[in-house]
């Protein structure tokens, strides 16, 4: 399967993320994955959590990257990939009781991050949101490697940047979500869990 789109970062962080999500999504029935990328998380997590219906989505322009792996590694509870632009209204997919996104907030424009949380404001009480990626705290980098990564992001795209945890948490709060857990992860990343009250 070497011809499939591949992300080494997804391969490296898959098991640590799964260890947290197995418990976090234990009482959920379905998960909407936003920005599923190559599909490596979706095709690993769906069979590992067979009680969930896993819906991977990706921006319409990147859907072709996601689809091949989902076709190559089907699972009974893995839904066909769907296109989702978080800025569009209404979303073409429903928001279930679980939402997951990895390595997206620092890639998408800040306006898209705001749009994502605005859309989630309509989620049901108890919905769990899990967000994986790098974050700054109190306006500071958590490591030298994250500082270098942020410089790389800025050179790559003017709208990409490591986000401040406090700014994202404020968006979550405005959408009715309260922080439930902040897990330290490999490579100076975090896995943040918010639940809608």
């Amino acid at each position: 399967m070497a011809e499939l789109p591949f992300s080494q970062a997804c391969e490296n962080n898959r098991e640590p993320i799964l260890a947290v999500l197995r418990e976090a999504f234990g009482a959920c029935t379905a998960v909407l994955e936003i920005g599923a990328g190559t599909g490596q998380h979706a095709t690993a997590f769906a069979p590992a959590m067979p009680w969930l219906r896993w819906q991977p989505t990706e921006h319409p322009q990147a859907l072709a990257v996601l689809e091949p792996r989902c076709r190559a590694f089907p699972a009974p509870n893995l839904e066909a990939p769907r296109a989702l632009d978080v800025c569009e209204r209404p979303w073409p997919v429903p928001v279930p009781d679980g939402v997951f996104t990895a390595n997206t907030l620092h890639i998408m424009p800040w306006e898209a991050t705001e749009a994502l949380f605005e859309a989630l404001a309509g989620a049901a009480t108890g919905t769990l949101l899990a967000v994986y990626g790098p974050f700054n705290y109190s306006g500071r980098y958590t490591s030298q490697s994250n500082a270098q990564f942020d410089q790389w992001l800025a050179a790559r795209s003017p709208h990409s940047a490591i986000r401040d945890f406090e700014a994202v948490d404020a968006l979550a709060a405005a959408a009715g979500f309260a922080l439930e857990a902040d897990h330290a992860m490999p490579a100076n990343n975090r896995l943040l869990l918010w639940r809608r009250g």
Side-chain angles (χ1 to χ4, degrees), residues 11-31:
E11 204 66 18
N12 295 344
N13 64 34
R14 182 183 64 200
E15 291 305 319
I17 294 174
L18 179 57
V20 174
L21 295 188
R22 268 201 185 100
E23 182 176 351
F25 287 144
C28 293
T29 59
V31 169

Side-chain angles (χ1 to χ4, degrees), residues 18-91:
L18 179 57
V20 174
L21 295 188
R22 268 201 185 100
E23 182 176 351
F25 287 144
C28 293
T29 59
V31 169
L32 172 65
E33 183 181 2
I34 298 170
T38 62
Q40 285 166 255
H41 285 152
T43 55
F45 294 169
M49 294 181 279
W51 66 91
L52 293 172
R53 191 179 77 254
W54 195 278
Q55 176 62 71
T57 67
E58 187 48 88
H59 191 277
Q61 294 178 356
L63 193 62
V65 175
L66 171 61
E67 291 173 326
R69 187 174 296 273
C70 292
R71 284 196 301 267
F73 295 96
N77 60 328
L78 179 62
E79 302 290 330
R82 297 280 301 274
L84 172 62
D85 179 345
V86 297
C87 295
E88 69 177 278
R89 295 292 185 271
W91 279 7

Side-chain angles (χ1 to χ4, degrees), residues 29-171:
T29 59
V31 169
L32 172 65
E33 183 181 2
I34 298 170
T38 62
Q40 285 166 255
H41 285 152
T43 55
F45 294 169
M49 294 181 279
W51 66 91
L52 293 172
R53 191 179 77 254
W54 195 278
Q55 176 62 71
T57 67
E58 187 48 88
H59 191 277
Q61 294 178 356
L63 193 62
V65 175
L66 171 61
E67 291 173 326
R69 187 174 296 273
C70 292
R71 284 196 301 267
F73 295 96
N77 60 328
L78 179 62
E79 302 290 330
R82 297 280 301 274
L84 172 62
D85 179 345
V86 297
C87 295
E88 69 177 278
R89 295 292 185 271
W91 279 7
V93 292
V95 177
D97 52 2
V99 181
F100 171 68
T101 189
N103 291 322
T104 54
L105 301 193
H106 61 276
I107 300 296
M108 63 175 64
W110 180 246
E111 294 76 17
T113 301
E114 292 175 320
L116 185 155
F117 280 94
E118 287 168 4
L120 293 180
T125 298
T127 297
L128 184 68
L129 168 64
V131 178
Y132 173 88
F135 288 90
N136 293 332
Y137 289 79
S138 301
R140 296 185 179 90
Y141 297 114
T142 60
S143 68
Q144 183 59 37
S145 64
N146 275 6
Q148 293 169 347
F149 180 52
D150 201 34
Q151 292 173 354
W152 179 85
L153 287 171
R156 173 181 173 271
S157 170
H159 65 240
S160 298
I162 294 179
R163 306 305 177 190
D164 288 333
F165 161 77
E166 292 82 4
V168 177
D169 190 48
L171 293 181

